Amino acid sequence: MDKETEIKLRVSPAAITSLREHPLLNRRRTGEWHTGTLYNQYYDTAERDLALARVALRVRRDGEQYIQTLKSKGQSVAGLSERNEWDWPTDGPGLDLTLLDDSCWPASLATLDKLLLQPVFTTDFQRTKALLNWEHEGQPVQVEVALDQGQVLADGRAEPICEFELELRSGPVVALLELATSLSADIALIPCDISKAERGYRLYDPASYELQLPAHPWSEQTTVDEVVAAAGWQLLGHTQRLAEQYRFSGQWRLFRELVARLVDLRAFFSVFDLGVPRSSTQRFTPRLDSLLAEYRPLVLAGWADDEDGRRAREKAPELFDGTQNDPAWGQLFLGLALWLHTGAWKQERPPRGDRVGALTLPRWLLAAVAREIQELRVPHQNDDDRDVELWLAQQPRLQRLGFLLGSFRQFLALPQVDHLYGELNKLQALLEQYPLVDDEVRPALLLALRKQGQKVRRLDAWRELNR
C-alpha cells in the first residue's frame, strides 16, 4: 500500500500547452516529457456497493502493461487529496479477485460477494508526464506532473477530462502547494475535488458527488486557532465542491449556495480579532470582495419571478465561467489552502493575538457575538427614511453574525439563541430586498424593517448580549 498525495486542477486545453512549456516546470524537470494513452475500466456491483464504501477499483492498461488498483476515497480539499492506494501488476485486462484480500478490502464489504463485481464505466485519456526535482528548505522534493486529456464514459454519457495533476513522490506537502500557487500566477488553475472515478459515478447519479466535508467535532475545549484551521478547511472544501457541481449541472440553487458560502468565507476573515490579523488576510479579502460584487447582485435579482429574475439566472453560468477562467480564482483558493496548511495567520501576530488564539471556543464566541450585537444598528420605530442607509450599512455585520451563529450557536449559553439567529436572517433578507424594489413598494418594506427590528430587540438573547 502507498499513500497518494496529489493536487488535481482543472484546466483549459490551451493551458495544457502553456503548462508543458512553463519555465518553472522545465527548470525543475528531470528528463523528458513522456506521452501515452491510459485505458481504465472501473468495477462495482449493480448497487454501487464500492462507491458507498468510498473505494474505487479499476484495471488500467498502460502500453502493454496491466495494473489493478484499489483506492480509498480519502479527503480532498482545494484539489489537494490524500488517500491510500494498492497497485498490482496483472497478466491481462480481467479483474483478479484473489488480490482483494483482507489486507486492502474494506471491512464494511466483508460479506460482499466479489463475483457480483462488474464493469461500470471507463476513463480513457492521454497522459503527458514528467518528473520534477528540487529542494524545499534543504529537503529534497520529487513530484510527478501529469497533463491529462480524454473522457469519462458511463452508461452512454460522456464528460471530458482536461486536468493537471501534481503527485508528491517525496518531500513535504507544503512544497506541492507552493508549486501550484506559483503556477496559478499566470495560468487559470481550478482546484478540482473530484476524482476520475467520482466523475464516472456522477454521470450515473449527479447527487452522488458529496458537497460537504464530514462535520468537524467541535467541543468546549476547542481553541480559536483550531476553529480557524478546521472552519477554514470546511468552508474552502464546501465552496470548491459547490463550484464543481454548479459547473457540471448549472443548477441555480447551487449558484445561490456557492455565493452564500463565499459570504461566509468573507465573514470568516473578520471575526477572530487579532487572532487572525488583517495583515495575514489582505491577499484574500480584495479578491473575495470582487467575486461577491459580481455574484451577489445576480443572486438577489434571481429571486424575482419576472423577466429581470430570468435574465439574472441565465447570466450566472457565463459570469461563473468567466471568473473560473481567470487566474485570480486559482490564486485565491490555492493561496488559501497554503495559508491554512502552514497556519500563516499565526505568523508575526502580536502577543495579544496569541492569547486570542489560545481561547476556548465558548469564551471567544460569547465575546465575538456580543461585540457584533452591541454595534449592530437595528431599525427602530422612531427612525425615519434618512436612516435607511445606516441600516443597509449593517449587512457586513449581519453576515458576520450569520457565520458565527450559523456555525457555533450551540456553544452560547443564552436564551432564545436559535430564535435570534432566525430573526437576524430575516432582517438581512429584508435589507437585501430594499435596493431591488420600486418606490411604490418601499413604504411597505420600510414598515416591515421597523417591525423586524422590534422583534429582534424583544428577544432575551438580544437583551443578554446588550448588557
Side-chain angles (χ1 to χ4, degrees), residues 73-343:
K73 186 174 187 297
Q75 179 172 299
S76 181
V77 182
L80 177 65
S81 66
E82 294 184 325
R83 55 193 173 186
N84 294 329
E85 175 179 306
W86 294 262
D87 291 315
W88 305 274
T90 61
D91 295 330
L95 195 61
D96 186 346
L97 298 179
T98 65
L99 299 172
L100 305 175
D101 58 23
D102 292 343
S103 66
C104 64
W105 195 246
S108 61
L109 296 175
T111 60
L112 179 71
D113 183 356
K114 297 184 182 71
L115 293 175
L116 296 175
L117 294 169
Q118 62 187 32
V120 287
F121 58 86
T122 62
T123 64
D124 302 332
F125 53 92
Q126 185 181 75
R127 167 164 287 179
T128 300
K129 64 181 181 179
L131 281 178
L132 310 180
N133 287 279
W134 75 98
E135 285 195 355
H136 181 272
E137 296 181 356
Q139 187 173 355
V141 179
Q142 185 176 79
V143 168
E144 182 182 89
V145 54
L147 305 168
D148 295 342
Q149 287 184 278
Q151 62 180 347
V152 183
L153 293 168
D155 198 26
R157 293 182 289 275
E159 182 183 356
I161 295 170
C162 194
E163 295 174 348
F164 172 49
E165 293 184 1
L166 296 167
E167 182 177 347
L168 188 66
R169 295 291 186 86
S170 63
V173 173
V174 66
L176 202 64
L177 283 165
E178 287 179 353
L179 175 58
T181 303
S182 296
L183 292 169
S184 72
D186 53 5
I187 298 177
L189 303 178
I190 303 161
C192 187
D193 290 337
I194 183 169
S195 67
K196 294 179 177 69
E198 287 177 290
R199 289 180 188 273
Y201 285 115
R202 187 173 64 176
L203 287 176
Y204 284 105
D205 176 15
S208 67
Y209 179 53
E210 298 174 357
L211 295 176
Q212 288 253 41
L213 294 173
H216 187 79
W218 307 112
S219 75
E220 293 187 353
Q221 285 71 48
T222 302
T223 67
V224 168
D225 279 335
E226 291 168 339
V227 170
V228 176
W233 283 117
Q234 288 281 145
L235 281 169
L236 179 57
H238 197 188
T239 298
Q240 296 307 292
R241 284 164 167 75
L242 285 165
E244 166 59 29
Q245 192 69 346
Y246 177 66
R247 181 200 65 80
F248 175 76
S249 70
Q251 294 181 2
W252 172 248
R253 68 172 181 83
L254 293 172
F255 184 76
R256 290 202 314 262
E257 193 172 350
L258 169 63
V259 175
R261 296 293 74 74
L262 290 172
V263 169
D264 282 345
L265 186 57
R266 183 62 180 88
F268 164 85
F269 285 123
S270 306
V271 297
F272 296 102
D273 193 31
L274 289 178
V276 179
R278 287 186 182 181
S279 58
S280 75
T281 65
Q282 284 177 346
R283 58 185 293 200
F284 307 121
T285 50
R287 288 175 180 158
L288 264 177
D289 289 339
S290 178
L291 269 180
L292 288 169
E294 292 185 273
Y295 284 2
R296 290 194 76 236
L298 288 185
V299 169
L300 298 176
W303 283 106
D305 189 18
D306 56 18
E307 186 64 21
D308 289 341
R310 183 187 63 80
R311 281 198 297 267
R313 294 188 292 271
E314 290 178 349
K315 184 180 178 182
E318 179 183 354
L319 177 61
F320 176 78
D321 288 344
T323 53
Q324 288 244 302
N325 292 328
D326 187 324
W329 181 279
Q331 291 168 15
L332 171 59
F333 294 109
L334 287 169
L336 180 53
L338 180 61
W339 185 84
L340 289 166
H341 182 81
T342 60

Side-chain angles (χ1 to χ4, degrees), residues 60-77:
R60 165 175 289 176
R61 177 160 69 89
D62 183 358
E64 300 301 317
Q65 185 180 20
Y66 292 91
I67 302 170
Q68 181 171 309
T69 299
L70 182 72
K71 290 188 180 188
S72 66
K73 186 174 187 297
Q75 179 172 299
S76 181
V77 182

Side-chain angles (χ1 to χ4, degrees), residues 403-445:
F403 169 69
L404 291 168
L405 296 175
S407 303
F408 309 112
R409 64 185 181 279
Q410 68 269 32
F411 293 100
L412 283 175
L414 292 171
Q416 297 181 308
V417 67
D418 289 341
H419 200 176
L420 176 65
Y421 176 55
E423 296 301 337
L424 288 174
N425 282 340
K426 292 176 185 176
L427 178 62
Q428 172 77 357
L430 289 170
L431 288 170
E432 288 175 341
Q433 291 178 34
Y434 186 84
L436 304 175
V437 300
D438 56 35
D439 291 340
E440 292 183 4
V441 178
R442 280 186 176 174
L445 183 55

